[in-house]
Amino acid sequence: IFVPCSQVAHAILYPDPQQYKSWAQMQIAESVDFASESDFWFHVAFGLTTQTEHHLFPGIGHHCYDRIRLLTREVCAKHGVTHYDVSAGKAFGALWHRYVQGVPAPLA
């Protein structure tokens, strides 16, 4: 379970690093949260449903990410930065597409 859950955030987006002005924008651009409202997926995925927050704040325990994700979304919206939070089905489907087809699947 750990491997696919961890790869959802690492293998389905490949942004161009040249188009981002800051380290934080790049972390958000290459991360995907999935099923972040689901307690079930939070526990099954060992807290890996909030990958954007994990990439931005790697030293903070995953039990704090639920509160932080609300702030992250607010700041992203304020600055016009796309923040991906997709369903578990869409995330695992995109991961499967990436591994089988060899190219990222659109998330939007």
Side-chain angles (χ1 to χ4, degrees):
I1 292 176
F2 175 78
V3 172
C5 288
S6 68
Q7 293 310 298
V8 162
H10 298 106
I12 62 176
L13 292 178
Y14 288 93
D16 176 8
Q18 301 302 317
Q19 78 182 69
Y20 297 97
K21 298 176 185 173
S22 72
W23 172 86
Q25 285 181 335
M26 185 63 191
Q27 295 306 306
I28 295 165
E30 67 184 3
S31 301
V32 177
D33 290 352
F34 70 96
S36 65
E37 299 285 332
S38 170
D39 288 336
F40 171 79
W41 278 109
F42 179 81
H43 293 291
V44 169
F46 309 103
L48 295 174
T49 56
T50 50
Q51 282 293 299
T52 302
E53 291 70 27
H54 168 68
H55 282 221
L56 290 171
F57 311 105
I60 296 176
H62 70 273
H63 63 282
C64 298
Y65 291 153
D66 193 45
R67 186 174 295 171
I68 293 170
R69 75 182 171 80
L70 301 175
L71 297 172
T72 304
R73 284 174 176 76
E74 194 176 298
V75 171
C76 286
K78 178 181 175 181
H79 294 282
V81 176
T82 301
H83 182 284
Y84 288 105
D85 188 353
V86 300
S87 69
K90 186 165 197 130
F92 289 111
L95 181 63
W96 179 257
H97 185 270
R98 171 70 177 110
Y99 285 146
V100 173
Q101 301 286 329
V103 296
L107 293 179

